[in-house]
Amino acid sequence: DSGVTQTPKHLITATGQRVTLRCSPRSGDLSVYWYQQSLDQGLQFLIQYYNGEERAKGNILERFSAQQFPDLHSELNLSSLELGDSALYFCASSVADQETQYFGPGTRLLVL
Amino acid sequence: AQSVTQLDSQVPVFEEAPVELRCNYSSSVSVYLFWYVQYPNQGLQLLLKYLSGSTLVKGINGFEAEFNKSQTSFHLRKPSVHISDTAEYFCAVGGTGFQKLVFGTGTRLLVSP
């Protein structure tokens, strides 16, 4: 158990819908990262927040957005969902700007 | 830009045999290197990491890796594998200061009796 929690574990929805994925970092970690794992793209970095501020953006679609709240939990919002958005979404956290990221168990999203 | 190449998509091995999973990286700056393991239907677990210092790094579950700067490699080894080591193994490269991790495509280790 890494100490990073993600909810829900599984999510099934339809095309065109919007979902919110939630992540709680390890106690004391200020930085949160979101990754997408799919069969065709592998593990891809989406976005990173540090203490409430966006720090880096990766291959994140405009239909996706994220935020980090004052209590440091983070949410990833996915809208206008397409079949290709079906994937495993991971959250990771790290202490400030240190290098080691600890991953949560992931949220498996299935878009039908 | 950083990149990671895992040369083998799948490595079959018999129980108690040694194994090496290969990883090569490319980076224009100093790097940190990681191996993560993903068991079926689970998240990513940190196996080991190289940040600085000794180039031979020991991790959990009897795994070790050696950082070779001249060959830009960070191969993962285990002298004797168990059935329970069957999983997907990911090599990743990161950097200083809020750097994202760049992952390889993964190597599926299949351990059979």
Side-chain angles (χ1 to χ4, degrees), chain A residues 64-84:
Chain A
F64 295 0
S65 64
Q67 53 184 327
Q68 187 179 27
F69 295 86
D71 67 351
L72 301 177
H73 91 272
S74 177
E75 292 181 357
L76 179 66
N77 301 295
L78 315 177
S79 62
S80 303
L81 285 167
E82 302 175 359
L83 296 177

Side-chain angles (χ1 to χ4, degrees), chain A residues 6-38:
Chain A
Q6 289 187 248
T7 56
K9 285 188 177 180
H10 303 277
L11 201 47
I12 302 175
T13 188
T15 55
Q17 295 298 305
R18 172 189 170 95
V19 297
T20 297
L21 313 183
R22 182 189 169 102
C23 167
S24 293
R26 296 185 319 157
S27 177
D29 285 1
L30 299 178
S31 198
V32 170
Y33 309 75
W34 286 97
Y35 292 83
Q36 179 195 59
Q37 185 181 33
S38 62

Side-chain angles (χ1 to χ4, degrees), chain A residues 31 33 35 37 43 45 48 50 55-56 58 88 90 96-106 108, chain B residues 32 34 36 38 41-46 49 51 88 90 95-105:
Chain A
S31 198
Y33 309 75
Y35 292 83
Q37 185 181 33
L43 267 161
F45 167 73
Q48 184 219 347
Y50 172 70
R55 281 288 186 156
L88 195 49
F90 285 112
D97 61 350
Q98 290 190 18
E99 58 293 320
T100 305
Q101 296 177 28
Y102 294 90
F103 283 74
R108 187 172 296 277
Chain B
Y32 301 138
F34 305 84
Y36 286 86
Q38 185 177 27
N41 300 312
Q42 293 190 29
L44 294 167
Q45 181 181 5
L46 181 66
K49 60 186 177 184
L51 307 178
E88 187 96 21
F90 291 93
T96 56
F98 304 105
Q99 290 289 324
K100 64 181 182 183
L101 289 177
V102 175
F103 285 88
T105 50

Side-chain angles (χ1 to χ4, degrees), chain B residues 68-88:
Chain B
N68 188 319
K69 189 174 182 178
S70 62
Q71 296 189 5
T72 60
S73 68
F74 190 55
H75 300 331
L76 181 70
R77 302 185 184 101
K78 186 169 182 178
S80 175
V81 295
H82 302 284
I83 297 285
S84 59
D85 292 323
T86 294
E88 187 96 21

